[in-house]
Amino acid sequence: MHPIVTVGSVAFDSVKTPFGEASRVVGGAATYFSVAASFFTDVRLVAVVGDDFTEEEMRVFAGRRIDLAGLQRVPGETFRWKGEYGFDLSTRETTYTRLNVFDRFRPVLPDPYRSTPFVFLANIHPALQAEVLTQVDGPRFVAADTMNYWIDGTPEELRAVLRRIDALLINDEEARQLAGESNLVKAARAIQRMGPRLLVIKRGEHGVLMTRDQGFFAVPAMPLDTVIDPTGAGDTFAGGFMGYLASAREITDAVFTRATIAGSALASLAVEDFGLDGLLGASPKVLNQRFAAFKRLTHFEAL
Ligand code: AMP
């Protein structure tokens, strides 16, 4: 089992769905990632919050395998994001993104973090992703996520990160946008040529498509009768995926496919409630049951 270091947003989210609203709840890509990955291994969180982030709110990390020595607290406001979902929850409009304390954030990795073998660059300014990566000595496996906000806003910095990573995990719309290609298979190949050998394309309620070198592996999303809030599903998937990889003795193709199921299982638990609640309320036992449910969902006997 190996630890993972991650950098990304820790945020106050406001979310509106057809089922209700949540306002100023703790979220952020690195938050979802850390809570999810901590089901499998130790996580070292590099991020910043403002002085409006209370001790009470810090409790989302408590009692989990999440090291907060790299989480800075500075004067100012915490990153804020608001999104609104359409009727079928498959479309989302960003109402606002306020970087706040991330605008002046300079990540400094505590010394023990520098030898972390697994690195996850969660969604944040690609220049910050690069600064963290530069401070890790010879990592074994580096994965990253990004978002339309950065694909549009900071394309050069993003390209520089892509050249330095082993895996990219993004959603289908972002994959098409990044590659400038509507066909997903061609988009995947184009992105692999930008650097990452492994690409995981997250497709919301349609599941996940993974490609390493040439072959594909696909997993459907768990059919659920209660989906309340898909926010953070992608980051939760990434946490399950990376956590599983980092907890494996060696990384083989079979481990990559099981990591895809681990990510999908955790994401399916996360969307069943608002914000982090679905994830915070999940136990390892429930996760194992979801993992088994995925086996039943996808298994068939070939004649
Ligand atoms: P997801 O639903 O997986 O796309 O992730 C949503 C999470 O990402 C929310 O908790 C937001 O706080 C965070 N987020 C949204 N936009 C950004 C951005 N531009 N940079 C970093 N994090 C973001």
Side-chain angles (χ1 to χ4, degrees):
M1 196 192 64
H2 303 284
I4 303 175
V5 64
T6 188
V7 61
S9 54
V10 173
F12 286 136
D13 288 346
S14 295
V15 176
K16 193 168 174 196
T17 80
F19 312 110
E21 274 186 64
S23 113
R24 198 192 182 273
V25 293
V26 176
T31 309
Y32 282 101
F33 176 87
S34 301
V35 173
S38 70
F39 276 81
F40 295 99
T41 193
D42 297 324
V43 183
R44 299 163 171 179
L45 174 60
V46 178
V48 63
V49 291
D51 50 14
D52 54 355
F53 203 91
T54 65
E55 285 303 320
E56 175 66 25
E57 283 154 342
M58 207 63 100
R59 292 246 295 270
V60 300
F61 301 112
R64 297 173 190 275
R65 295 157 78 179
I66 303 173
D67 185 315
L68 299 178
L71 178 63
Q72 299 177 24
R73 184 203 280 265
V74 302
E77 279 192 67
T78 297
F79 178 102
R80 279 177 191 251
W81 171 83
K82 180 170 183 181
E84 184 168 344
Y85 290 86
F87 174 64
D88 65 1
L89 295 179
S90 69
T91 54
R92 178 173 82 190
E93 293 287 331
T94 293
T95 314
Y96 58 73
T97 303
R98 296 183 190 142
L99 299 180
N100 295 336
V101 289
F102 268 102
D103 234 356
R104 280 164 286 118
F105 176 51
R106 291 275 75 85
V108 180
L109 265 59
D111 269 345
Y113 284 23
R114 292 173 188 263
S115 55
T116 314
F118 284 77
V119 180
F120 185 69
L121 309 171
N123 189 14
I124 200 59
H125 196 305
L128 292 178
Q129 295 179 318
E131 267 187 69
V132 167
L133 188 51
T134 300
Q135 295 176 55
V136 184
D137 300 325
R140 184 163 154 208
F141 190 84
V142 181
D145 189 0
T146 192
M147 210 178 188
N148 46 11
Y149 188 87
W150 308 113
I151 297 172
D152 282 341
T154 55
E156 290 311 315
E157 289 99 325
L158 181 60
R159 287 298 185 110
V161 169
L162 292 178
R163 284 193 286 274
R164 301 172 64 187
I165 61 176
D166 300 294
L168 181 70
L169 290 75
I170 51 174
N171 75 31
D172 46 359
E173 196 188 323
E174 291 154 359
R176 291 186 167 101
Q177 187 185 349
L178 179 58
E181 168 63 61
S182 68
N183 178 287
L184 213 48
V185 173
K186 287 187 183 151
R189 298 295 173 238
I191 293 169
Q192 284 175 304
R193 284 194 293 275
M194 296 175 195
R197 185 174 163 199
L198 178 86
L199 184 66
V200 180
I201 299 178
K202 300 170 283 185
R203 307 177 63 215
E205 65 174 333
H206 303 296
V208 162
L209 187 63
M210 176 175 76
T211 179
R212 186 156 171 263
D213 303 328
Q214 290 300 307
F216 282 97
F217 178 70
V219 194
M222 179 58 60
L224 299 169
D225 60 13
T226 308
V227 178
I228 300 285
D229 177 11
T231 307
D235 313 304
T236 302
F237 172 90
F241 182 85
M242 287 295 286
Y244 191 90
L245 282 189
S247 69
R249 223 172 311 132
E250 49 175 345
I251 301 182
T252 60
D253 281 343
V255 170
F256 276 124
T257 56
R258 283 201 294 276
T260 308
I261 306 292
S264 303
L266 269 170
S268 75
L269 294 168
V271 300
E272 289 180 320
D273 210 337
F274 266 111
L276 279 162
D277 290 352
L279 206 48
L280 295 176
S283 64
K285 185 172 167 211
V286 170
L287 174 58
N288 282 339
Q289 287 166 347
R290 230 1 110 76
F291 200 97
F294 264 99
K295 187 162 186 210
R296 290 193 298 277
L297 178 71
T298 55
H299 185 81
F300 70 95
E301 301 281 343
L303 281 178

